[in-house]
Amino acid sequence: MQLLPVPVRRLAAWCAVILLVAGVAYVGIRLCATFRTAVTPVLLALLGTALLRPLYKRLVKARMPRSMAAALTCVAVVAVVGGAVYVVVAALIDTGDQIVASLKDAANSVAEHFGAAGTSLDDLASNAGDLLTKFGGTAASNVISGVSVVGETIAMAVLALLLVFFFLRDSDRAAGALRSVAPGGTGDTLEAMSRRAFAAVEGFMRGTTLIALIDALCITVGLIVLDVPGAPGLGALVFVGAYIPYLGAFISGAVAVLVALADRGFVIALWALGVVLAVQVLEGHVLQPAIQSRTVQMHPAAVMLAITAGASVAGILGMLLAVPLTAAGFGVLSELRTRYGAPGPSEPPAPPAPSAS
């Protein structure tokens, strides 16, 4: 090694570090994918804890026992989530037929103007029927696997709710538990990194939820004013899609514009597009800086790369978890940079002020 120039040795050292970090990350991801039924509830519980911790702290400040405060918080989240799911499902059931019919009309219009022969919806339906008849056994097995997936999802949701209860109740012991497993004198650093990561996730969850609610309300009101069918269902889609930054807003906005185009015509579709763009501008220039100004700020390129990586690892669930986990990683890096970053060059002393005489 001494025969190599200093720049080459530094490059080799950095390559070794990068390979080591990439290997550890790959092994960690593979382990998480293998034990996803245990890892997923833990991650969801951490996100739920970050979102519900302010309510829990208010109950504890009101001199309520920790166990009761955590239980009431979990009951409240079950009631809120259950009510929200009921409202969303009811809205989709009431307006789902209109949305599907409008999307079919839009597809028919596209097929008439740009489609080739044999690509109409009737041909596609007949081909789908032939395929279903030919591969009926495969379809049946897929239904059975789908039922098992639903059961697994319910079990993970129940486990995540129980973990939220324990995480809230025993949150005061987290610092002591981290210090007990920290090697040497790294307890303070590990605790500070954990607090910074959790604060980033907490800020992201609360800010994203509030922004999603405002976006959904604004777009729903705009679509109702434009008399677009299925406005409540489209607003629910906007709310859910807001948890996937950029991509979710693009997909939900595109669906709203297509429905307006199919049912109300080109002019109303342009107005719907204007409403969607106005809400996105409001979010990017007002809501994001005002609501999430105290959280870890991430570049849009980093967010898109995180979403892509999450989708390749765990599909839709990975897309939902990618951004808060990336926010936690940015929080850890920020804490490390604060503690171990090289100090900036000292400024030269200011010249003495001239005397009055």
Side-chain angles (χ1 to χ4, degrees):
M1 290 293 293
Q2 298 297 330
L3 299 178
L4 297 175
V6 175
V8 176
R9 280 184 283 170
R10 289 179 178 176
L11 177 62
W14 275 110
C15 290
V17 171
I18 292 173
L19 288 175
L20 179 61
V21 172
V24 172
Y26 176 78
V27 172
I29 291 173
R30 296 299 300 176
L31 288 175
C32 290
T34 303
F35 300 102
R36 63 183 181 278
T37 54
V39 174
T40 302
V42 174
L43 296 177
L44 293 177
L46 288 175
L47 296 183
T49 303
L51 184 61
L52 300 172
R53 192 163 171 263
L55 175 60
Y56 169 77
K57 292 172 65 176
R58 288 178 179 272
L59 295 176
V60 171
K61 286 182 179 180
R63 300 186 180 277
M64 184 178 293
R66 292 183 177 272
S67 297
M68 186 177 296
L72 285 179
T73 303
C74 292
V75 170
V77 73
V78 169
V80 172
V81 172
V85 169
Y86 174 78
V87 171
V88 171
V89 171
L92 291 177
I93 290 175
D94 293 339
T95 61
D97 294 337
Q98 294 176 334
I99 294 175
V100 172
S102 299
L103 290 177
K104 285 183 178 180
D105 293 339
N108 281 326
S109 300
V110 173
E112 289 176 1
H113 289 86
F114 304 102
T119 59
S120 63
L121 290 180
D122 295 335
D123 296 333
L124 293 177
S126 62
N127 293 333
D130 295 338
L131 289 176
L132 183 60
T133 303
K134 186 175 180 180
F135 300 103
T138 304
S141 63
N142 289 336
V143 170
I144 295 174
S145 62
V147 172
S148 64
V149 168
V150 171
E152 180 180 331
T153 302
I154 294 175
M156 287 193 298
V158 173
L159 179 58
L161 183 63
L162 294 176
L163 288 176
V164 168
F165 169 79
F166 290 116
F167 287 169
L168 288 173
R169 189 192 66 177
D170 301 328
S171 58
D172 58 326
R173 305 177 188 176
L178 287 175
R179 289 180 175 275
S180 64
V181 300
T186 60
D188 292 340
T189 302
L190 184 59
E191 180 182 352
M193 290 167 51
S194 302
R195 290 184 182 278
R196 183 69 71 93
F198 187 80
V201 175
E202 187 177 21
F204 171 82
M205 289 300 297
R206 285 188 293 176
T208 302
T209 302
L210 183 56
I211 291 173
L213 182 61
I214 296 175
D215 287 354
L217 288 176
C218 292
I219 290 181
T220 302
V221 171
L223 295 179
I224 290 175
V225 171
L226 295 174
D227 197 19
V228 175
L234 294 172
L237 182 63
V238 170
F239 178 82
V240 175
Y243 284 93
I244 305 177
Y246 305 111
L247 184 60
F250 173 77
I251 294 176
S252 58
V255 172
V257 173
L258 285 176
V259 171
L261 175 63
D263 191 84
R264 300 282 292 150
F266 183 73
V267 176
I268 299 299
L270 286 180
W271 278 103
L273 179 61
V275 170
V276 172
L277 292 178
V279 171
Q280 295 304 317
V281 170
L282 175 67
E283 174 186 342
H285 292 81
V286 178
L287 299 180
Q288 287 282 356
I291 295 176
Q292 292 188 339
S293 58
R294 296 184 180 182
T295 62
V296 177
Q297 299 295 325
M298 294 180 291
H299 194 274
V303 174
M304 294 302 297
L305 288 175
I307 293 174
T308 304
S312 63
V313 173
I316 297 178
L317 182 62
M319 296 172 67
L320 293 173
L321 295 176
V323 180
L325 291 180
T326 306
F330 272 87
V332 171
L333 291 177
S334 177
E335 180 63 28
L336 290 176
R337 187 166 54 248
T338 301
R339 286 177 169 264
Y340 303 108
S346 58
E347 297 182 359
S355 59
S357 58

